[in-house]
Amino acid sequence: SKILYGISKRKGVIDLHNTYSSMVGSTLTVAFGGSVGLEAPIVLTGSAIGSNLGRFFRLNHKTLIILIGCGAAGAIAGIFKSPIAAIVFAVEIFSLELTLASMIPLLLASITAVLTSYFFFGDDVLLHFKLQDKFFLNDVLFYVLLGVFTASVSIYFSKVYSRIGAFFRDFRGAHRRLLVGGILLGVMVFLIPPLFGEGYSTINNLLKGNVGPILSNNIFHVEIDNMFVIITFLLGLIIFKVIATALTFGAGGVGGVFAPTLFTGSVTGYVFALIINYSNLFSHQLSSTNFAMVGMAGLMAGILQAPLTAIFLIAEITGGYELFIPLMIVSSISFLISKHYVPHNIYASEL
């Protein structure tokens, strides 16, 4: 939202301190258990670098906006090793004009960021997904239903996020927000440890179909053999992850909704497949890992209202190109339904 504000209200000016403050603040927030992601602060850092470089060299407004987009695209490409999704993200979220003059800089920024990421981290990826079950035509109906389900969760996410944010804005003094939000978040993380931090370990376990570590690490000692309890626990994760994320921001934490969106989406897709398989209403068995992956795209399309970014990002970071058609189905349905009930994405709403 700070980037959108800089573009729309300040003629592309983003304060110099954003080149480092959001990065430091988000690192401390996540390290101490804040249920948010590091991606949005790094995007803000990249865009702030672009803005301040442009102003330092006294470039015109159009070039300044392109540099802001390049900073954002470079951040996304570097984090996820996804150059195509990074360009689409910059165009879709910041409404950049996709012309030859803007495309070449965005391409160069994305490529440079990906190569830099490979240089420091090798070929390791953030999310590990290996296709175990192929896409079948019989799955189409269930992916349509998943699109509706992810849209519902997206609407819930956006509404709860905005209402808890409004609740904390009424507090007088940052110390009160810190105490109330911090204590509530601490209690939730103690009771439900998977809510701690970004939650990428939980996502990777779901993408492998390994739900055991997620359930065993809690004070309730959930029985993994009881499918009803497993489904209930995972549904609880969806509900409370949104609350934990909103509490983190309300308490004054620095972070983004990228990681919480991916977390909630993976759990949503996984639990949807479990419910269909466990209900025995259909003779067809669904792949829980495939639905966990596609669920991430559904939530991203619904919450960020960026369906193209969702499709390309999830396909690139997981290598799940074989599921491109399901990604398109779920993302488009989730976006259309969410857009009807929540007119603006989570960034534009804050703006």
Side-chain angles (χ1 to χ4, degrees):
S1 57
K2 288 184 179 180
I3 303 171
L4 292 174
Y5 182 77
I7 293 173
S8 61
K9 297 294 184 179
R10 302 186 64 190
K11 298 181 179 180
V13 175
I14 300 175
D15 294 334
L16 181 63
H17 72 82
N18 286 312
T19 58
Y20 59 88
S21 59
S22 59
M23 187 163 53
V24 175
S26 63
T27 302
L28 292 173
T29 299
V30 174
F32 283 100
S35 198
V36 291
L38 295 169
E39 298 79 20
I42 304 304
V43 170
L44 176 57
T45 299
S47 295
I49 292 172
S51 172
N52 284 278
L53 275 176
R55 286 189 292 144
F56 178 79
F57 288 107
R58 300 181 183 278
L59 302 177
N60 60 48
H61 178 261
K62 184 176 181 180
T63 306
L64 188 64
I65 300 302
I66 293 175
L67 280 176
I68 291 174
C70 287
I76 293 295
I79 294 169
F80 294 111
K81 292 190 175 77
S82 54
I84 299 175
I87 296 172
V88 175
F89 171 82
V91 172
E92 201 168 24
I93 296 296
F94 302 136
S95 301
L96 298 181
E97 293 183 7
L98 193 59
T99 62
L100 190 61
S102 61
M103 175 61 76
I104 300 302
L106 288 171
L107 279 171
L108 290 174
S110 297
I111 293 169
T112 305
V114 170
L115 292 176
T116 306
S117 183
Y118 272 111
F119 179 80
F120 283 101
F121 300 110
D123 58 357
D124 188 31
V125 291
L126 196 61
L127 301 177
H128 303 273
F129 175 78
K130 185 177 181 181
L131 187 68
Q132 300 176 7
D133 304 291
K134 293 183 178 180
F135 166 67
F136 295 101
L137 190 61
N138 295 338
D139 296 334
V140 170
L141 173 61
F142 298 101
Y143 281 115
V144 171
L145 294 175
L146 178 62
V148 177
F149 188 38
T150 53
S152 303
V153 177
S154 298
I155 295 168
Y156 164 75
F157 192 114
S158 300
K159 296 287 187 181
V160 170
Y161 178 86
S162 62
R163 288 179 182 177
I164 293 180
F167 170 76
F168 276 97
R169 280 194 293 272
D170 293 335
F171 278 51
R172 292 183 178 179
H175 63 284
R176 292 186 179 180
R177 292 195 293 268
L178 176 63
L179 285 174
V180 174
I183 290 171
L184 291 175
L185 178 64
V187 171
M188 288 183 63
V189 169
F190 175 74
L191 296 175
I192 314 173
L195 299 179
F196 185 96
E198 293 176 296
Y200 280 118
S201 59
T202 298
I203 298 174
N204 280 316
N205 280 320
L206 291 176
L207 293 178
K208 296 174 184 175
N210 186 17
V211 75
I214 304 171
L215 301 177
S216 59
N217 185 22
N218 65 85
I219 66 172
F220 301 108
H221 304 291
V222 175
E223 297 179 10
I224 300 176
D225 296 333
N226 191 327
M227 185 58 68
F228 178 77
V229 176
I230 293 173
I231 292 174
T232 303
F233 185 84
L234 292 177
L235 288 173
L237 272 185
I238 296 172
I239 295 170
F240 289 108
K241 180 64 176 180
V242 180
I243 299 174
T245 299
L247 286 175
T248 304
F249 287 117
V254 180
V257 297
F258 238 91
T261 298
L262 296 177
F263 179 99
T264 311
S266 63
V267 178
T268 300
Y270 192 90
V271 76
F272 175 83
L274 287 186
I275 292 172
I276 296 297
N277 293 338
Y278 180 65
S279 63
N280 292 323
L281 295 176
F282 307 93
S283 58
H284 187 64
Q285 290 290 302
L286 304 179
S287 171
S288 57
T289 56
N290 288 359
F291 273 74
M293 192 201 80
V294 178
M296 292 191 290
L299 261 291
M300 186 170 291
I303 296 171
L304 306 185
Q305 295 187 4
L308 293 178
T309 300
I311 294 168
F312 285 104
L313 182 65
I314 301 304
E316 280 190 293
I317 64 179
T318 61
Y321 287 99
E322 294 88 347
L323 298 176
F324 215 82
I325 293 176
L327 287 171
M328 294 171 68
I329 294 172
V330 174
S331 296
S332 57
I333 292 175
S334 179
F335 168 73
L336 289 172
I337 297 176
S338 301
K339 185 73 173 177
H340 179 73
Y341 292 97
V342 183
H344 305 289
N345 66 35
I346 208 162
Y347 302 128
S349 297
E350 291 184 1
L351 174 67

